[in-house]
């Protein structure tokens, strides 16, 4: 992968600092920041007016939404719901969709998810809905499909599951899970926050009903996005003003409207991947955007596997270290979010020593509290998490390894 081109697109990487807490928030593309500035300085008016500046501003926001629709391969741009964060969008979804359910209906959550895709559903117990938990195998910490099948019933209305764990890095087989959920007559809601920075998302191939992720962890602004099947969104009652009805999709789920400048800035992300494709495959341009993304993210996955394997190898060789998650850097099975604990040291002690070397890693539960509790890792103050993305380099990983060699 053309790592020199990649790094030039992220001004923050010019600083004398190594960013390895990317699962908490990636660095932002210059194109994104430029688009925010351009919109605020040239198009900052309310949409929907008859005057020209307003019409132009509306076209800018609409163009960004259309491109995001292509990015996700939705059937129509109305299936794109934009909000301040993934947490809020999932909460809105739980409020709106549960109005269609009956007391005693069931929702299945996991003990490996970020709480954003758990709390909105467990809160429904107060309304008389039953919540079941799909628990990971306590030895491997992996979700097993057979356990889900045992939980599904004719009362299951929705299964909430993560695409990739923000602690384990494990990639769950969403298409296979979705097929089982649909066989049971239920819907699936996927949290893709920890997956989206590393792999392309094709909601039609995945066969999901709802899919949510955060742009601020995917090289963009602090904004969340939710895909929802149009027929499902249409049937739901929204949370916007009373005079918006079924046909007002997605606006009925976006009270106060979208953030205009941040929505427009998303074009900076899509244009970046277009340009990266041209750098990687200069002779192949007459293909759909989704196919370009597929090719680009294959290059990204290969690069991420290459830079994470030496780190995993190093950790495996230390008898006092336990990796929490899959050990091989297999790009088909995991993303480069790597967590571990130490036999003698607490996780915060390790991170605080690494801090002094100008490398940003992190410790804690990362809002996946149930996973940390069930794995018995609270006394370690959670895990040490090193989260890489494609702009990280082999040299940065080697620097981290040399520091860790002194620390652990």
């Amino acid at each position: 992968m053309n790592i020199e081109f990649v790094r030039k697109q992220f001004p923050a990487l010019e600083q004398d600092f190594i960013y390895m807490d990317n699962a908490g928030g990636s660095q932002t593309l210059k194109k994104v920041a430029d688009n925010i500035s351009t919109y605020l300085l040239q198009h900052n008016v309310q949409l929907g007016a008859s005057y020209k500046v307003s019409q132009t501003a509306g076209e800018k926001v609409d163009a960004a939404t259309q491109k995001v629709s292509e990015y996700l391969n939705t059937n129509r741009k109305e299936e794109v719901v934009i909000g301040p964060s993934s947490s809020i969008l999932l909460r809105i979804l739980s409020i709106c969709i549960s109005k269609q359910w009956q007391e005693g209906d069931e929702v299945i959550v996991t003990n490996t998810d970020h709480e954003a895709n758990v709390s909105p559903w467990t809160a429904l117990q107060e309304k008389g809905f039953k919540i079941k938990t799909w628990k990971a195998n306590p030895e491997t910490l992996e979700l097993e499909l057979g356990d889900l099948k045992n939980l599904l019933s004719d009362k299951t209305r929705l299964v909430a599951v993560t695409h990739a764990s923000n602690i384990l890095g494990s990639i769950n087989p969403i298409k296979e899970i979705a097929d089982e959920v649909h066989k049971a007559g239920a819907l699936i809601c996927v949290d893709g926050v920890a997956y989206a920075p590393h792999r392309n998302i094709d909601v039609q191939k995945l066969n999901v009903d709802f899919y949510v992720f955060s742009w601020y962890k995917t090289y963009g602004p602090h904004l969340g996005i939710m895909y929802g099947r149009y027929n499902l969104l249409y049937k739901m009652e929204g949370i916007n003003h009373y005079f918006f009805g079924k046909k007002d999709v997605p606006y009925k789920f976006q009270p106060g409207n979208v953030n205009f400048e941040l929505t427009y800035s998303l074009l900076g992300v899509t244009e970046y991947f277009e340009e990266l494709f041209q750098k990687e495959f200069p002779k192949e341009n007459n293909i759909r955007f989704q196919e370009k993304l597929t090719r680009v993210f294959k290059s990204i996955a290969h690069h991420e596997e290459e830079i994470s394997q030496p780190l995993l190898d190093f950790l495996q060789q230390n008898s006092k270290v336990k990796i929490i998650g899959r050990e091989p850097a297999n790009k088909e099975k995991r993303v480069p979010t790597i967590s571990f604990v130490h036999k003698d040291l607490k996780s915060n002690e390790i991170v605080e020593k690494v801090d002094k070397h100008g490398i940003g890693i992190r410790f804690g539960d990362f809002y996946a509290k149930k996973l940390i509790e069930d794995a018995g890792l609270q006394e370690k103050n959670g895990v040490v998490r090193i989260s890489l993305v494609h702009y990280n380099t082999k040299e940065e990983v080697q620097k981290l390894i040399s520091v860790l060699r002194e620390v652990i």
Side-chain angles (χ1 to χ4, degrees), residues 11 33 65 126 128 152 192 205 246 283 299 357 362:
T65 306
E126 299 173 3
L152 290 165
K205 279 188 179 177
K246 285 186 174 182
K283 296 180 181 179
S299 293
H357 296 269
R362 201 162 181 170

Side-chain angles (χ1 to χ4, degrees), residues 106-118:
E106 299 171 356
V107 176
I108 298 173
V109 298
T110 84
N111 70 334
T112 64
D113 273 65
H114 185 289
E115 198 64 18
N117 201 25
V118 179

Side-chain angles (χ1 to χ4, degrees), residues 60-108:
K60 298 284 184 185
V61 174
D62 189 65
T65 306
Q66 178 60 47
K67 200 63 182 180
V68 169
S69 172
E70 294 174 32
Y71 186 94
L72 298 174
N73 196 27
T74 70
N75 281 307
R76 51 197 295 176
K77 66 179 175 59
E78 289 82 5
E79 294 181 323
V80 174
V81 183
I82 295 171
S85 69
S86 295
S87 296
I88 289 178
L89 287 169
L90 286 162
R91 183 71 63 169
I92 289 171
L93 176 63
S94 72
I95 291 168
C96 294
I97 198 169
S98 62
K99 292 179 181 181
Q100 302 175 336
W101 299 342
Q102 305 296 319
E103 187 174 343
D105 284 347
E106 299 171 356
V107 176
I108 298 173

Side-chain angles (χ1 to χ4, degrees), residues 365-379:
D365 59 41
F366 307 102
Y367 288 17
K369 285 184 175 288
K370 292 178 177 64
L371 177 60
I372 295 298
E373 291 168 1
D374 289 351
L377 298 174
Q378 307 100 304
E379 65 179 28

Side-chain angles (χ1 to χ4, degrees), residues 299-331:
S299 293
I300 286 173
H302 179 74
H303 174 74
E304 289 180 344
E305 183 180 76
E306 281 193 330
I307 62 173
S308 58
Q309 189 63 65
L311 177 58
L312 285 164
D313 289 342
F314 166 75
L315 293 172
Q316 287 165 5
Q317 291 162 9
N318 188 322
S319 60
K320 292 187 176 183
V321 166
K322 180 181 179 182
I323 296 171
I324 308 301
R326 299 181 191 271
E327 297 192 358
N330 185 339
K331 59 183 177 291

Side-chain angles (χ1 to χ4, degrees), residues 8 29 65 93 158 173 276 287 307 313 317 333 336 352 388 398:
K8 283 182 178 177
L29 287 154
T65 306
L93 176 63
L158 183 137
L276 184 54
I287 59 176
I307 62 173
D313 289 342
Q317 291 162 9
K333 301 290 185 180
E352 286 159 7
L388 310 175
Q398 288 303 322

Side-chain angles (χ1 to χ4, degrees), residues 179-199:
D179 290 346
E180 287 299 327
V181 171
H182 291 149
K183 279 182 195 174
L187 303 174
I188 183 169
C189 175
V190 180
D191 174 357
V193 172
Y195 181 88
H198 308 284
R199 306 289 186 270

